Amino acid sequence: AFGFRTSFRWEKEVASMQPKIHGAIESGVDWLLSRQLVDGSWMAHAKDGYPGGITPVVVFTLLKCGLGTHHPAVRRALLRLRHIEFNRTYSASFMLLALAATGDQKYQSWAEELTDWLVETLPSQGVYGYPGAPDISNHVIAVLGLDAAVQTFGVKISPKVWNKILEGTLKYR
């Protein structure tokens, strides 16, 4: 599920590390699974006003680590998240990334809802952030989520929106 590429000069060293990398990923997945609540969530930060807490981040992580949408933990989490109104950039963006990681077109309308919300709430300066302040890490997650919606679900986003995002991003060079 994970690997990295260096120059050919290091290929043997990287290959020898791969079992440890896979072991670390498996340990991380086991740790996350052991902390899922009965309702399907991982509720850290939910009380801080972030819908779904870190659950969208965990679902995305689990899917990228090789768990499929058939896995009970992923299914429970997606069912839980479907009933949450996403009204924060970070949460909505990671939810889009998680939906895209499923690769399942049955999430098309949900992805469109989240994309529409992100497009509608793009700040005038073209940079996403936390309430009241632009934040480049939040901005990057939002843009990755929007791109995932376009790539996976074919969601259409106006070139004007992309240009506004690009102009805002370039302010942080």
Side-chain angles (χ1 to χ4, degrees), residues 75-150:
R75 286 198 343 247
R76 278 196 326 268
L78 289 171
L79 285 171
R80 164 85 175 148
L81 291 168
R82 189 59 185 118
H83 302 287
I84 292 175
E85 180 184 346
F86 288 90
N87 60 2
R88 296 288 179 115
T89 301
Y90 202 81
S91 301
S93 302
F94 260 108
M95 195 64 241
L96 272 174
L97 288 168
L99 293 176
T102 71
D104 194 331
Q105 295 303 306
K106 75 179 181 184
Y107 297 119
Q108 172 82 34
S109 64
W110 192 1
E112 288 172 356
E113 290 171 29
L114 292 165
T115 300
D116 289 347
W117 184 85
L118 281 169
V119 168
E120 289 168 13
T121 60
L122 176 63
S124 59
Q125 76 271 28
V127 179
Y128 289 99
Y130 294 102
D135 177 84
I136 198 67
S137 67
N138 211 332
H139 182 69
V140 167
I141 295 301
V143 174
L144 290 171
L146 291 172
D147 184 61
V150 170

Side-chain angles (χ1 to χ4, degrees), residues 11-32:
E11 202 162 293
K12 282 197 281 190
E13 288 85 351
V14 171
S16 71
M17 291 170 39
Q18 208 60 50
K20 287 184 179 182
I21 293 169
H22 289 302
I25 291 169
E26 287 178 29
S27 294
V29 167
D30 290 344
W31 187 87
L32 288 171

